Amino acid sequence: MQSSEKSIAELKKSVGQHRFTYRPLGQKRREIRLVQLSRELRDASNGKSVPFLRMHHASFDGENLPQYCALSYTWGPSLKGAVLIKYKKMPAREVQVSTNLLDALCHFARLSDQMLETVRRVFWIDQLCINQKNKGEKNHQVGMMTEIFAQAKMTNVWLGSRQATLSCEVVKKYDQDVSRIREVESNDPELQYEHSSASQEVDRILIELLKDDWKQLHALADFCKHPWFERAWVVQEVATSSNVIVYWEGGKCEWSSFQNLWLLSFWLIKRIIRAKDHHKLAAAHRLARIYSTLHMTVYQSLIPPRTYPLIELIKNMLICGKTRATLPEDLIYSNMGIASDKDTCGIAVDYKKHYTDIFTDAALQFLKTLGAQALAWSCQRTKINDSPLLPSWVPNLRLQFSFMVIHPMLPHHSDLSSKLFSAAGNSNFEYTVDGSRENLSIRTSYVDRVVKVEPFYCLTEHLVSAGSITPHSQAWLADYGRFFDFAVDRVPTRYDDSIRQEMYWRIPIADHYLDLDTNSKRRAGLEVKEWYMAILQPDDSLSASAISMSTRYNDNLSMKHHVAFVTATGYIGLGGWETVEGDEVHLVQGSDLPFLLRKTYGHYQLVSQAYVHGIMDGELIHDNTEFWWLGIH
């Protein structure tokens, strides 16, 4: 016992009293640091056994760059772990690391050489191999990230020791099934023929997934909640890596297994929709969450780097859902390495700048590239005053993307240049930004003032469930009817009876819907009216076709994600959740959609996009329509 206490005391003296110090990297030689993980754990100053690593420098310009493995993982919130690092001629010293990284290194240290597919256990790990306190070095190393992952012999993904084994086993289970479907799908790529071998195979998998109270489907959905899928850096790391292996406590699988799961979820959703099987619609919604979670990482990993410009990558990141980064600026920097305009986008990696300056740089690029459409992306915030450091026209990328009134599709799904509406006619967008980069001036035409706002909270639940119209549907129809009557009665002469009847079903869906056959947005036609009419049928008379139609209307309800409002002169529209009475409707020069603006202390703030029935096709634009300069702060 005394000997053990003595050895720990000596270790504290040699290790604990000395702070770990990084030696500078040769930036001209494009040097990086690598660490070699020992299979043996060693005692730290606290008496616990911790991973032991040897650190050395390597150069991309050298002739003998050693083979190494890059590690992709989530940092986690705390730095409560520790490892021992022997660096050059210095004695081994303790370095604080995140708990998740400690778990990964302990796991890899225990694995046999056969299980751990890496070269001599040599790793590049950002948390250890970059001096996080040296911003100059960090700028340089982050600029090399794509090359670091591209040069690695493989990338190991660590999902953490808490990851449910069942989920990963389910992923592996369907890997061969998907490969078999891919072999025969050429005869039926759309899975539309009931008796094709591909369709029958997908149907078999769907039945198996839904057995035992959907146990396997729930396991997959839980798996997709893993925080690794929300990491901003994942797309760049996976897209630039030549070989990706995913590890978890108890097993591993190839990255292709996750590509197959993404593809399988898409096939399953398509089969359910084509079969119009309302009993499986709840499963389709669960599968849609799996698909959307995997979409960002899997789809981008299939596209060669430098295919899309930076702005498109950021837009895709916002559309696909929650994306997280320890530092806000990494939400932009994580996309730069794979952007086609990396060297010309006007943004450089610089951790010495405040994230608000980086976000403003991105906003200016949005304006330059997208024109008036850029304002819609600035309105994606969930609170108008979420960050007093950011002007309202600068998107706060830290917040989860909220639904736009007219939700844009990803570039590979539809033509972003196609227009559904033209509220401001064929006018051209003009803007100026002052020297402080706080005030944006745009040209607008005032329409009206909001006098009543109505949120329909009952729409947070489905209107159709288990083949029946739910009580939420009846509640919404009653509440919407009262609101609509109030709105049209403000100016009774504005709308005749035929227009009122058409407005009634067009407004809740913002007069557009998603065409499942072409996966693109379309203006609503009379077939959408039939979907709405299906909701009005008595519960006991719902046919299978009525259930399918009412479900389609439910799935396209823009009113689910927005509040309804009425203006002083009787216009009815939809706006963001933060819309309040007194907000103003403006037509912005060059914009397809109207905007809601809020006047505060002599200047305006962007609130949200808007759908305003009766002005969406340029009805208010005439030869003498004037657009006035207006300042947005």
Side-chain angles (χ1 to χ4, degrees):
M1 182 70 179
Q2 290 180 350
S3 175
S4 175
E5 291 177 350
K6 182 179 180 181
S7 63
I8 292 176
E10 290 175 350
L11 195 62
K12 285 183 177 180
K13 183 176 180 180
S14 63
V15 176
Q17 293 179 355
H18 299 279
R19 188 177 64 177
F20 182 84
T21 304
Y22 283 97
R23 298 287 180 88
L25 289 171
Q27 294 189 7
K28 291 184 178 180
R29 297 185 64 242
R30 298 191 301 143
E31 281 191 337
I32 61 172
R33 298 184 185 92
L34 298 173
V35 290
Q36 185 169 19
L37 176 65
S38 171
R39 293 192 61 181
E40 297 179 0
L41 302 181
R42 299 197 181 183
D43 291 337
S45 58
N46 59 7
K48 295 183 178 180
S49 296
V50 299
F52 176 76
L53 305 102
R54 296 180 182 275
M55 179 177 285
H56 61 277
H57 291 195
S59 171
F60 280 131
D61 290 340
E63 295 180 358
N64 299 312
L65 178 69
Q67 292 185 332
Y68 62 92
C69 170
L71 184 63
S72 177
Y73 65 106
T74 56
W75 276 43
S78 61
L79 294 175
K80 295 183 179 180
V83 297
L84 284 172
I85 295 183
K86 177 83 170 69
Y87 190 22
K88 293 187 177 291
K89 296 181 179 181
M90 295 186 295
R93 291 174 181 169
E94 287 186 25
V95 177
Q96 295 295 308
V97 296
S98 68
T99 304
N100 192 42
L101 176 56
L102 178 62
D103 291 340
L105 293 174
C106 288
H107 181 75
F108 291 145
R110 292 192 298 265
L111 289 181
S112 65
D113 291 336
Q114 186 176 4
M115 272 294 292
L116 182 60
E117 298 185 38
T118 185
V119 184
R120 295 186 297 109
R121 298 175 185 269
V122 177
F123 289 90
W124 182 88
I125 305 171
D126 59 349
Q127 198 173 144
L128 296 175
C129 297
I130 299 177
N131 183 357
Q132 301 293 332
K133 296 181 179 179
N134 185 327
K135 293 184 178 179
E137 178 182 303
K138 195 172 179 180
N139 292 342
H140 178 258
Q141 292 288 287
V142 169
M144 294 177 60
M145 286 275 281
T146 52
E147 190 171 10
I148 290 172
F149 277 84
Q151 292 284 353
K153 183 173 183 181
M154 66 188 62
T155 294
N156 284 358
V157 174
W158 170 247
L159 292 183
S161 56
R162 296 181 182 179
Q163 179 57 45
T165 302
L166 173 62
S167 303
C168 294
E169 292 302 327
V170 173
V171 172
K172 294 171 65 176
K173 177 180 180 180
Y174 291 107
D175 202 15
Q176 292 183 344
D177 291 329
V178 173
S179 298
R180 189 162 56 251
I181 296 172
R182 296 181 80 164
E183 292 176 2
V184 298
E185 70 160 330
S186 58
N187 298 324
D188 185 15
E190 297 298 321
L191 301 176
Q192 58 185 334
Y193 302 116
E194 296 297 326
H195 302 293
S196 73
S197 54
S199 294
Q200 290 177 348
E201 186 69 18
V202 172
D203 289 342
R204 181 192 65 77
I205 295 173
L206 181 60
I207 292 172
E208 190 169 324
L209 269 175
L210 301 184
K211 288 193 305 187
D212 301 325
D213 296 323
W214 298 10
K215 182 179 180 180
Q216 294 184 9
L217 183 58
H218 287 309
L220 290 177
D222 290 341
F223 167 79
C224 289
K225 295 177 182 178
H226 194 284
W228 182 81
F229 291 104
E230 298 178 359
R231 282 187 65 238
W233 289 101
V234 164
V235 172
Q236 177 174 279
E237 293 168 357
V238 173
T240 56
S241 299
S242 59
N243 185 20
V244 180
I245 310 293
V246 182
Y247 289 85
W248 65 92
E249 191 71 36
K252 67 177 182 178
C253 68
E254 301 283 341
W255 177 246
S256 59
S257 297
F258 296 94
Q259 294 174 334
N260 284 341
L261 175 59
W262 170 72
L263 191 58
L264 176 62
S265 62
F266 175 73
W267 283 337
L268 291 170
I269 294 167
K270 208 162 191 177
R271 284 299 295 161
I272 292 173
I273 292 173
R274 285 196 178 279
K276 298 181 180 179
D277 188 344
H278 62 273
H279 296 294
K280 295 189 179 81
L281 285 175
H285 284 287
R286 182 61 61 92
L287 287 163
R289 285 195 287 271
I290 295 172
Y291 174 82
S292 62
T293 300
L294 294 175
H295 181 84
M296 188 65 185
T297 52
V298 172
Y299 176 75
Q300 291 289 4
S301 70
L302 298 173
I303 298 176
R306 306 297 183 91
T307 299
Y308 290 124
L310 178 63
I311 295 304
E312 290 297 330
L313 294 174
I314 294 174
K315 284 167 57 180
N316 290 356
M317 177 184 72
L318 292 172
I319 293 172
C320 285
K322 293 184 293 184
T323 306
R324 303 185 187 279
T326 304
L327 299 175
E329 52 267 43
D330 281 344
L331 294 167
I332 294 176
Y333 295 158
S334 61
N335 287 288
M336 288 185 60
I338 56 175
S340 60
D341 57 347
K342 174 185 176 182
D343 301 323
T344 59
C345 66
I347 302 175
V349 176
D350 188 353
Y351 286 96
K352 297 177 182 179
K353 296 176 68 173
H354 195 270
Y355 80 88
T356 55
D357 293 325
I358 306 301
F359 284 8
T360 303
D361 290 342
L364 292 173
Q365 288 301 311
F366 267 90
L367 288 168
K368 182 179 178 180
T369 306
L370 303 175
Q373 290 185 32
L375 301 179
W377 295 92
S378 299
C379 292
Q380 53 79 34
R381 61 189 60 221
T382 53
K383 296 178 182 177
I384 191 168
N385 293 319
D386 60 278
S387 176
L389 300 176
L390 285 173
S392 66
W393 57 274
V394 175
N396 189 347
L397 304 180
R398 297 179 304 164
L399 297 179
Q400 183 177 353
F401 179 80
S402 59
F403 287 86
M404 292 183 181
V405 175
I406 308 299
H407 200 286
M409 302 300 293
L410 297 179
H412 61 284
H413 279 164
S414 69
D415 182 5
L416 286 177
S417 63
S418 60
K419 293 184 178 181
L420 291 179
F421 302 101
S422 54
N426 296 319
S427 57
N428 295 318
F429 181 61
E430 296 182 60
Y431 73 96
T432 62
V433 179
D434 69 0
S436 68
R437 306 206 313 173
E438 293 183 355
N439 298 295
L440 170 73
S441 294
I442 58 177
R443 294 172 70 95
T444 76
S445 178
Y446 174 82
V447 176
D448 209 351
R449 177 174 54 87
V450 174
V451 296
K452 182 176 176 62
V453 175
E454 186 76 26
F456 294 100
Y457 297 113
C458 55
L459 288 179
T460 57
E461 303 292 338
H462 291 296
L463 301 184
V464 183
S465 179
S468 300
I469 300 297
T470 66
H472 302 285
S473 174
Q474 304 301 328
W476 171 66
L477 288 171
D479 291 345
Y480 177 48
R482 285 190 291 269
F483 170 80
F484 188 84
D485 290 341
F486 167 84
V488 296
D489 287 345
R490 286 190 62 84
V491 186
T493 58
R494 178 180 289 280
Y495 309 110
D496 59 33
D497 288 342
S498 61
I499 293 178
R500 290 188 186 192
Q501 291 177 11
E502 197 164 284
M503 290 168 58
Y504 203 84
W505 60 266
R506 287 187 183 275
I507 289 174
I509 60 171
D511 200 18
H512 76 291
Y513 72 101
L514 175 62
D515 185 338
L516 295 175
D517 291 327
T518 61
N519 211 14
S520 60
K521 295 287 185 179
R522 295 188 180 278
R523 289 292 289 267
L526 292 180
E527 73 278 9
V528 181
K529 181 180 179 180
E530 294 181 17
W531 302 348
Y532 167 75
M533 295 302 293
I535 297 178
L536 304 181
Q537 296 183 35
D539 233 352
D540 55 2
S541 66
L542 283 182
S543 62
S545 61
I547 293 171
S548 177
M549 288 191 292
S550 55
T551 301
R552 289 287 301 276
Y553 191 81
N554 173 85
D555 291 344
N556 283 281
L557 275 171
S558 293
M559 196 176 278
K560 275 186 179 183
H561 314 289
H562 301 86
V563 299
F565 65 81
V566 59
T567 69
T569 60
Y571 284 115
I572 307 174
L574 302 176
W577 282 105
E578 59 277 8
T579 305
V580 299
E581 295 176 7
D583 287 346
E584 298 177 5
V585 179
H586 285 251
L587 296 178
V588 175
Q589 194 174 50
S591 175
D592 301 341
L593 303 176
F595 280 86
L596 290 167
L597 306 180
R598 183 173 305 161
K599 192 171 185 179
T600 55
Y601 305 107
H603 58 259
Y604 283 86
Q605 287 183 310
L606 275 173
V607 178
S608 81
Q609 281 181 313
Y611 169 83
V612 183
H613 195 81
I615 70 170
M616 301 301 293
D617 295 310
E619 291 90 339
L620 298 184
I621 302 299
H622 308 287
D623 292 340
N624 58 350
T625 301
E626 294 191 45
F627 288 87
W628 301 92
W629 284 103
L630 182 145
I632 307 292
H633 182 73

